[in-house]
Amino acid sequence: MKKILIPTDFSTCAYKAVDFAVQSAKYLSAEVTLLHSFEKTGNVYTDYVGLNKSFNNDLLSEVHKRLGEDKRIIEETEGVKVNTYVAVTPLSDAVKTEVTELDR
């Protein structure tokens, strides 16, 4: 096993899973990929006036920022290579897509 995929929602439980996976990666000399997935929200009215676009862009920006910070901390403190992946799809689809990518 050379790659470990870690879905995260930034909750306390997720960070415990991240820590376990990172410690496993150190032991196995593997790299990790932090994955966050969310689905865009919206309806015809809010999309028309641009409310959802702004909200979704802000959310996407915040997710990239948090994953980047988590990546930096893990790489600096644990010495494990970290990749990040953000998907705007249901989690099951995001996992399937990323597993296919990691398998290459």
Side-chain angles (χ1 to χ4, degrees), residues 40-54 56:
K40 288 185 178 181
T41 60
N43 61 44
V44 174
Y45 174 73
T46 56
D47 287 345
Y48 176 74
V49 296
L51 296 175
N52 274 346
K53 183 177 181 180
S54 176
N56 287 327

Side-chain angles (χ1 to χ4, degrees), residues 41-83:
T41 60
N43 61 44
V44 174
Y45 174 73
T46 56
D47 287 345
Y48 176 74
V49 296
L51 296 175
N52 274 346
K53 183 177 181 180
S54 176
F55 173 78
N56 287 327
N57 286 341
D58 290 347
L59 182 58
L60 190 58
S61 176
E62 181 64 24
V63 167
H64 279 289
K65 180 179 169 184
R66 289 184 77 173
L67 284 177
E69 182 65 12
D70 291 347
K71 173 183 175 162
R72 184 189 63 76
I73 290 169
I74 293 168
E75 288 182 339
E76 287 179 4
T77 62
E78 303 296 338
V80 173
K81 179 168 176 19
V82 179
N83 300 301

Side-chain angles (χ1 to χ4, degrees), residues 31-35 71 75 81-85 98 102:
E31 64 183 51
V32 299
T33 298
L34 297 174
L35 162 69
K71 173 183 175 162
E75 288 182 339
K81 179 168 176 19
V82 179
N83 300 301
T84 61
Y85 179 65
E98 189 59 15
L102 290 174

Side-chain angles (χ1 to χ4, degrees), residues 4-10 14 18 32-38 63 67 82-99 102:
I4 301 173
L5 179 62
I6 314 167
T8 183
D9 62 1
F10 308 111
V18 168
V32 299
T33 298
L34 297 174
L35 162 69
H36 182 80
S37 175
F38 67 96
V63 167
L67 284 177
V82 179
N83 300 301
T84 61
Y85 179 65
V86 178
V88 187
T89 60
L91 180 60
S92 60
D93 294 343
V95 168
K96 288 176 191 173
T97 299
E98 189 59 15
V99 165
L102 290 174

